[in-house]
Amino acid sequence: MHQNSIAQNAIPTSDFIVTYTINNNTTFHIPGQPFFLQSNKITSTKFSILSAADEYMQLTATVQSVRGKIFAFGQEQIFNSDDTTGLNSDELAWLKEIVNKPKTIEVKQYHAVQSPIKTNPLFDIEQEDVGKYFLPFASSVVKAGLSWSDSTFSDSSKSVHQYLILKVQDNKATVSVLSDLVIKTTFALSGQRIHQNLKGIARAERIYTISDARMISESVSTKLSGSSTSNGIDIIPLTIELKATSFIEWK
């Protein structure tokens, strides 16, 4: 089978916009007082391709807008990065950290190189893998039943992915993705270092345009369980359920 180089599908297109919607249900199993957190968020991110060659790409990612809400402790908090007045509150300081601040991303062998250090614990877990926006096969070999697998590593985290092309029709390929996940993250929260150890699975369905091997949409469901610790103490079991959709607009 002939694999595409990233470059041939990235050029002449240099920019694309991803609209990402996620619903997050997290339960902390605290003895005698279980804590439930629910959130939904819609993010619009502009990606600009700086360079591409073979199976390597360098891009910038600029979050243009974020809006949604969080429900916890019986209270609901609404956030919108377009509301500049609301951004002055301490609770929404994290929005200022990410909106309109370009971030450089490297893609190697069709997967983004992830950093093990996180800063926004409620949302970093759904961080997009930019490499998935490119189907790694030439149009001449794309057919229903084609399958392959790969894996990614970041610090102590590991993901194993299995892919299967379910359908080819009208210049579009529907790809099923099953991922086994081991996620170990560290982030800062209220001046403390929080460590999370999680395991689970993700099931995704992606649609690509066959002629240029670019993704146009994805839906994914993820279930995780594990524990959270603060400064090495207070081990708290938790479960996380994520449902997300992505729509990509190529410029």
Side-chain angles (χ1 to χ4, degrees):
M1 290 184 295
H2 172 65
Q3 283 192 301
N4 280 343
S5 71
I6 290 178
Q8 74 184 77
N9 297 314
I11 305 299
T13 299
S14 59
D15 296 337
F16 56 100
I17 305 291
V18 176
T19 301
Y20 186 84
T21 303
I22 185 167
N23 294 295
N24 180 348
N25 294 311
T26 299
T27 302
F28 295 88
H29 301 279
I30 304 172
Q33 188 182 3
F35 169 60
F36 179 70
L37 180 147
Q38 184 179 48
S39 67
N40 62 65
K41 179 173 69 80
I42 301 174
T43 303
S44 177
T45 305
K46 178 181 179 180
F47 293 90
S48 297
I49 300 171
L50 303 178
S51 62
D54 297 328
E55 295 183 359
Y56 175 83
M57 178 187 294
Q58 188 177 66
L59 312 89
T60 58
T62 306
V63 175
Q64 297 179 318
S65 66
V66 184
R67 67 182 189 275
K69 59 183 178 181
I70 303 171
F71 179 82
F73 298 109
Q75 296 183 339
E76 182 179 80
Q77 180 187 59
I78 297 175
F79 52 88
N80 187 341
S81 62
D82 294 331
D83 179 7
T84 55
T85 302
L87 292 181
N88 292 325
S89 67
D90 292 338
E91 294 82 0
L92 298 182
W94 62 270
L95 277 176
K96 286 186 175 181
E97 296 176 6
I98 63 173
V99 175
N100 294 322
K101 295 187 177 181
K103 176 182 178 181
T104 301
I105 298 175
E106 286 188 306
V107 173
K108 296 180 179 179
Q109 296 181 330
Y110 290 89
H111 287 286
V113 179
Q114 303 288 348
S115 169
I117 302 300
K118 310 298 180 184
T119 56
N120 299 299
L122 294 178
F123 304 111
D124 268 337
I125 198 167
E126 99 269 357
Q127 185 174 352
E128 290 282 71
D129 182 352
V130 183
K132 70 183 179 183
Y133 298 133
F134 300 90
L135 186 65
F137 294 104
S139 59
S140 59
V141 299
V142 174
K143 62 180 180 179
L146 178 66
S147 64
W148 68 102
S149 63
D150 63 20
S151 59
T152 56
F153 299 86
S154 176
D155 192 38
S156 298
S157 299
K158 178 182 179 180
S159 301
V160 179
H161 313 282
Q162 297 177 339
Y163 308 86
L164 173 65
I165 296 182
L166 299 175
K167 182 173 64 175
V168 173
Q169 185 178 2
D170 299 329
N171 194 35
K172 292 182 175 62
T174 302
V175 180
S176 171
V177 187
L178 175 62
S179 302
D180 290 316
L181 310 172
V182 176
I183 301 173
K184 297 185 179 183
T185 59
T186 301
F187 54 84
L189 181 64
S190 301
Q192 294 185 330
R193 301 289 289 179
I194 307 297
H195 303 275
Q196 286 187 344
N197 296 310
L198 302 166
K199 293 183 179 181
I201 60 172
R203 297 180 182 274
E205 184 173 284
R206 302 172 183 170
I207 299 178
Y208 293 84
T209 303
I210 297 174
S211 57
D212 56 20
R214 298 169 185 162
M215 194 171 84
I216 55 178
S217 68
E218 180 193 47
S219 60
V220 59
S221 177
T222 305
K223 292 186 177 181
L224 300 163
S225 61
S227 63
S228 177
T229 64
S230 173
N231 294 330
I233 59 175
D234 299 327
I235 298 176
I236 301 173
L238 73 155
T239 58
I240 300 174
E241 293 188 6
L242 306 172
K243 291 186 180 297
T245 58
S246 297
F247 295 95
I248 299 90
E249 178 186 359
W250 295 88
K251 300 294 186 179

